[in-house]
Amino acid sequence: MKCTILSIGDELLIGQTLNTNAHWMSQKMNEIGIDVIHHISLSDEKNDIISCLENALKTSQVVLITGGLGPTSDDITKDVLCDYFGGNLVFNESAYQNIERIFALRKRLINESTKRVAYLPDVCKVIQNKNGTAAGMIFSKDGKTIVSMPGVPYEMKDMIIDDVVPYLKSTYTLPYIFHCNIQTAGVGETQLADRLIDFEKNKDPRIKLAYLPNIGKVRLRLTIKGEDSEELNAVLENAKNEVVSCIEEHIYGFGNDLLEQKIGELLLEKNLTIGTAESCTGGYLAHLITSIPGSSAYFKGSVIAYSNEIKQHFLGVKEETLTSFGAVSEQTVSEMVAGALKHLNVDIAVAISGVAGPTGGTPEKPVGTVVIGIGNKEKTIVKKLSFTNHRDRNIQLAAVVALVMTRKFLLNQLKD
């Protein structure tokens, strides 16, 4: 079964508001076996609404619409849908009582424009709004379902969960859809695809494999759809095991696991503490590590050594090292690691120095040159890398590579 999501509002088209509603609704539809095939943002214009709705009904059994249900003059969705489905706007006592309840809580008086919100098409099933004044509406046409909801996210979400999903489940026979997410880092999607050629040739044809790259990471998503949930889960688990056997060294987790979360688990397992010394990343690595609840059990602190002065005075980097090799060098980063180990009093330290850009590069050290080091009292590993010309991407890549190096360092520790 297919679904189209129509998001109404000029604010979406001019980039004033990010369309998070469509993203969230897609997840909820997928969970109940409905495939979302189109996201369409459209203006508050009658002809646009009708045209997009008619096109959506040609390809989808379910159409979800958000926006345009408020009391202002530009909120025309209700009127357009009422005309389209051949109905009349009638006063809905239940909807009005809900408006009275909301306004009483807010200690406000109901004006005429707000009262008009309680007039609803007589050809729809009304969805009461628990969190606002504009009711939702469910229309049926030729066995297809059209749902109109407010654009306010928390109002729409409660309607989807409490009313729309149960309605769709009771109206249609829906298949099962199961996903398995495999999280990888430190390897590109092309390399992963090369390793998985045989898997893709021989996998169960019901299994779909998607590569979802992000900065420094690739999420692999295995998907299967069908009627027998027990069999589907067994086939999916088998496919997951086959993928893991092909690329195990690059996998750091599954589902919604975060790389920084898995590193925290390793630190706790080994009862180790960690700290960072950061230059070009400006504390971004420390931010990622401390974004995990409970990270205070293993993260002790960070030195943002953006200038050479701070590298010298707070981390003990030698002046002659900076003079001879520069701030972006293996020698400087090695001393940054040593200084962080000493002054932060941690078991493991990670240091980063680089040319994030867009300026500051030289022929010898162009923009995107980054040096990352990790070490303890016994051993330090330092790598010099070349990234991109994009400042933000360089900062994020440096942090992800530092996390990948940290994970590898910790895994080797656990083997010892």
Side-chain angles (χ1 to χ4, degrees), residues 280-302:
C280 66
T281 47
Y284 183 65
L285 175 60
H287 159 71
L288 292 178
I289 295 172
T290 57
S291 67
I292 302 303
S295 56
S296 59
Y298 49 82
F299 184 81
K300 295 188 73 172
S302 178

Side-chain angles (χ1 to χ4, degrees), residues 195-196 198-199 241-250:
R195 297 278 293 273
L196 293 170
D198 288 340
F199 166 78
N241 292 337
E242 289 180 19
V243 170
V244 169
S245 68
C246 295
I247 58 168
E248 187 169 9
E249 69 272 25
H250 300 299

